[in-house]
């Protein structure tokens, strides 16, 4: 028996307003843009894909899915498009949908402090309880960050499993299709099969891929011929309708998948929390933080260049003062500035080499992203009575 | 392949980008392309990679003057016609497979050479009268340009903007145009890893004409200086707006922070790039804008207007609307104040400039010659 876990990550950041060096405003987040993008993605992906999943679950009662929503995604849904919450609730109420916890702010809070990390997880847990009445057993850190230490902390917070990338460097000769435990704790590692996941997420509509076009029957055959306890297909939800447009046939693929998988009796759909009942095969060592990003699978998409490190450090340094203020609105702004996307926009590692096709950005380039972030941070600092970041020559 | 190239200026006799362009292009041309270079006789000039023929004419002005008054007009028409006639005569005694000319001053010569020898004509459009005059063109210059565009068998545009413009304003046949950008010999400007200077110096470079947008720069400078009193704006170049711009800086009350250097020789320009914190090219229109690549090669964080050709080939720069003086000021203040921004931009723009080479441009030009000959 091989389980198949289909899990989707859903997130939208609060994109920043455009700030000049000397801007005086306090509207840090671009309401109009965030609303427009949210509605666009809701129409192309969230609503149609979730409706499709509801149909599929009704037609195939054995079909199960799992979801992780950032708090910011839910906040924007509540604000701009409550219908999105409605369809997710409807899917949840079928009983075939599982939900994970993560940091509410889709943040790098783990790198700020334990207290900040735990607090943002607590806020997320309450949100999921409020909206779905669900208590999550599985945790996923932002961008699937994972390390031995992190796993231990997450176990101590009461979680039974943590999501990670099934990356060759930690697995060595071992397959991602088994349950493992990290060094130092007994929490179960749920590792992504990145090859089979990326076949859908990235390669699906690539005409020069030798498997193009990917059909549900072919894919089900691949699943059926894969050895292991579980095949973890972890995908960005926007794969459906946004990264892969409707015209690529991605919805047809999804539609036929349960039917094709049903042809193989040894394959069984599972919710992500059902995986932790299985026995661990081995220990895996993850001394450094692993992520699911690009070819490096580390933190270098968010931190590492001078701009990213400086922006993160300056944001982090504001923490004690802001938290002491107990000003809820201010704390919320500070946490929204922790969202990983802001730091990703400052990434130069593909951009500087001119390989801008690999690069998705709401800004024209990483320098604009950094300047804008720093202009906002300076504005915030001035409001707090602190000295803004400046060269000393003045 | 033998190419007859009709030029106008060539180092050391240079007053604009045309001289640099023809110098680098001919220098890097693959060895199986033999070039004979024609230029008006201004004195001794020679290079090891091609024959230069000095053509006797009555020439006494640079390529980018703006024109007014009928006396001047008469003398320019005469110079252009003289040069064309002489080019035609000399071409008759020269063997070549293709003739290549640059901009309106040389295109008449190119046409004469084509007529005399029955060989195809390639015409590089570096800029147009329509742009140089900001939409108020001198009709007879436009006529010459249109004539050249019609007569040419192949047209090289130095940016997509130029390509679109010669289609729209000059009725060029899109099928015979190819975009080939300018490039940079970055070793002449690269002084190694650059650390943020402490002078707070913002450099701008170019002829002081309407289309260079220096008036917008001055308005931005006023905002910058309010927030950063140690900022110094250094403007190198001369031109017909010199007096107006100096007066404008006085009216804005920023004359203490603005330095008009007038003409600056090349070796000093290289030093200025290295000293500057920011290089700014606020042009209303810039067909290409090679100075931005030079500043990038020196590792100087660069701000360019979106209406420049160089904008189409660079990533590691700030791109602004020339009229958006607030944004322009903000970008300058950011580079002055955010050390990490300076360092990342400096490093990355320097590497980017290294990748934009004349070897590539010369190969693309040769390839275009071949497609025209086919």
């Amino acid at each position: 028996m091989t389980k198949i876990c289909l899990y989707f990550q859903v997130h939208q950041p609060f994109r920043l307003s455009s700030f000049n060096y000397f801007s005086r405003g306090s509207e840090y987040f671009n309401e109009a843009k965030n609303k427009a993008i949210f509605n666009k993605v809701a129409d192309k992906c969230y609503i149609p894909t979730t409706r499709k999943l509801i149909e599929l679950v009704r037609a195939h009662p054995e079909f199960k899915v799992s979801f992780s929503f950032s708090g910011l995604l839910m906040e924007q849904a509540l604000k701009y498009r409550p219908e999105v919450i409605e369809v997710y609730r409807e899917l949840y109420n079928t009983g075939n949908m599982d939900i994970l916890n993560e940091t509410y702010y889709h943040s790098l809070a783990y790198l700020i402090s334990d207290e900040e990390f735990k607090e943002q997880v607590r806020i997320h847990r309450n949100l999921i309880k409020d909206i779905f009445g669900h208590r999550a057993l599985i945790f996923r850190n932002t961008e699937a960050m994972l390390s031995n230490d992190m796993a231990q902390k997450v176990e101590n917070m009461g979680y039974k499993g943590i999501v990670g990338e099934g990356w060759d460097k930690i697995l060595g000769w071992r397959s991602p299709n088994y349950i493992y435990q990290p060094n130092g704790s007994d929490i179960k590692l749920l590792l992504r099969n990145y090859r089979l996941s990326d076949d859908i997420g990235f390669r699906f509509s690539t005409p020069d891929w030798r498997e193009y076009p990917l059909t549900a029957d072919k894919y089900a055959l691949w699943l059926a011929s894969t050895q292991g306890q579980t095949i973890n297909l972890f995908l960005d939800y926007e794969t459906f309708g946004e990264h892969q447009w409707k015209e690529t046939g991605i919805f047809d693929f999804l539609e036929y998948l349960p039917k094709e998988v049903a042809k193989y009796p040894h394959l069984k759909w599972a919710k992500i929390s059902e995986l932790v009942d299985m026995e661990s095969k081995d220990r895996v060592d993850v001394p450094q933080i692993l992520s699911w990003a690009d070819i490096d699978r580390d933190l270098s998409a968010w931190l590492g260049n001078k701009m990213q490190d400086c922006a993160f450090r300056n944001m982090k340094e504001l923490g004690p003062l802001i938290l002491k203020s107990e000003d809820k609105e201010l704390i919320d702004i500070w946490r929204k500035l922790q969202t990983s996307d802001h730091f990703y926009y400052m990434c130069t590692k593909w951009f500087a080499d001119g390989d801008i096709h690999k690069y998705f950005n709401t800004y024209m380039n990483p320098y604009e992203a950094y300047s804008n972030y720093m202009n906002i941070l300076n504005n915030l600092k001035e409001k707090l009575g602190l000295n803004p970041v400046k060269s000393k020559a003045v | 392949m033998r190419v007859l190239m009709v030029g106008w200026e060539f180092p050391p006799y240079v007053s604009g980008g045309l001289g640099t362009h023809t110098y680098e292009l001919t220098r890097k041309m693959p060895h199986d392309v033999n070039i004979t270079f024609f230029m008006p006789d201004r004195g001794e000039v020679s290079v090891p990679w091609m024959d230069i023929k000095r053509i006797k004419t009555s020439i006494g002005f640079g390529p980018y003057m703006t024109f007014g008054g009928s006396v001047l007009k008469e003398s320019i028409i005469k110079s252009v016609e003289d040069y064309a006639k002489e080019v035609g005569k000399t071409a008759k005694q020269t063997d070549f497979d293709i003739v290549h000319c640059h901009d309106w001053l040389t295109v008449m010569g190119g046409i004469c050479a084509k007529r005399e020898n029955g060989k195809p004509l390639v015409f590089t459009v570096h800029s147009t009268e329509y742009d140089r005059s900001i939409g108020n063109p001198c009709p007879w210059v436009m006529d010459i340009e249109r004539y050249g565009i019609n007569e040419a068998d192949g047209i090289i545009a130095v940016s997509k903007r130029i390509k679109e413009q010669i289609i729209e304003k000059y009725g060029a046949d899109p099928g015979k145009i190819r975009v080939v950008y300018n490039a940079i010999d970055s070793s002449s400007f690269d002084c190694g890893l650059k650390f943020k200077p402490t002078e707070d110096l913002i450099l701008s470079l170019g002829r002081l004409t309407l289309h260079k947008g220096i008036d917008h720069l001055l308005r931005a400078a006023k905002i910058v200086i309010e927030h950063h009193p140690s900022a110094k704006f250094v403007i190198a170049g001369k031109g017909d707006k010199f007096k107006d711009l100096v007066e404008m800086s006085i009216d804005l009350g920023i004359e203490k922070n603005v330095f008009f250097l007038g003409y600056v020789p090349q070796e000093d320009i290289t030093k200025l790039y290295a000293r500057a914190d920011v290089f700014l090219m606020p042009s209303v229109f810039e067909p290409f804008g090679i100075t931005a690549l030079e500043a990038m090669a020196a590792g100087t964080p660069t701000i360019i207007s979106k209406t420049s050709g160089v904008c189409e080939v660079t990533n590691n720069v700030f791109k602004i609307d020339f009229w958006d003086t607030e944004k322009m000021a903000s970008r300058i203040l950011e580079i002055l104040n955010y050390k990490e921004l300076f360092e990342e931009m400096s490093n990355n723009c320097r590497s980017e400039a290294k990748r934009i080479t004349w070897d590539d441009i010369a190969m693309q030009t040769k390839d275009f010659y071949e497609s025209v000959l086919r």
Side-chain angles (χ1 to χ4, degrees), chain B residues 6-76:
Chain B
V6 188
W8 187 258
E9 51 171 34
F10 199 81
Y13 308 103
V14 170
S15 68
L18 206 52
T20 312
H21 177 94
T22 45
Y23 179 86
E24 295 290 354
L25 180 66
T26 55
R27 184 161 78 104
K28 294 293 184 181
M29 195 62 85
H31 296 304
D32 54 347
V33 179
N34 285 312
I35 303 172
T36 308
F37 191 83
F38 286 9
M39 67 177 288
D41 187 9
R42 297 160 190 228
E44 190 57 49
V45 49
S46 88
V47 288
W49 59 84
M50 65 179 180
D51 274 341
I52 299 181
K53 284 215 168 79
R54 287 141 62 188
I55 309 289
K56 292 256 179 276
T57 52
S58 53
I59 284 164
F61 57 92
Y64 299 109
M65 295 178 73
T66 46
F67 304 111
S70 54
V71 179
L72 192 55
K73 175 186 159 182
E74 295 305 319
S75 79
I76 289 159

Side-chain angles (χ1 to χ4, degrees), chain A residues 50-60 91 255:
Chain A
T50 314
R51 285 201 196 289
K52 172 68 71 188
L53 292 174
I54 294 167
E55 270 174 42
L56 288 173
V57 165
R58 291 200 173 125
H60 306 272
L91 180 59
E255 162 129 31

Side-chain angles (χ1 to χ4, degrees), chain B residues 114-143:
Chain B
K114 173 185 170 165
R115 293 262 163 83
E116 293 290 348
N117 299 50
K119 304 290 183 182
L121 171 67
V122 169
F123 178 23
T124 297
V125 182
H126 296 267
S127 71
T128 64
E129 175 61 11
Y130 186 81
D131 284 322
R132 287 187 300 268
S133 63
I134 314 191
N136 186 22
C138 176
W140 56 271
V141 175
M142 265 189 96
D143 287 346

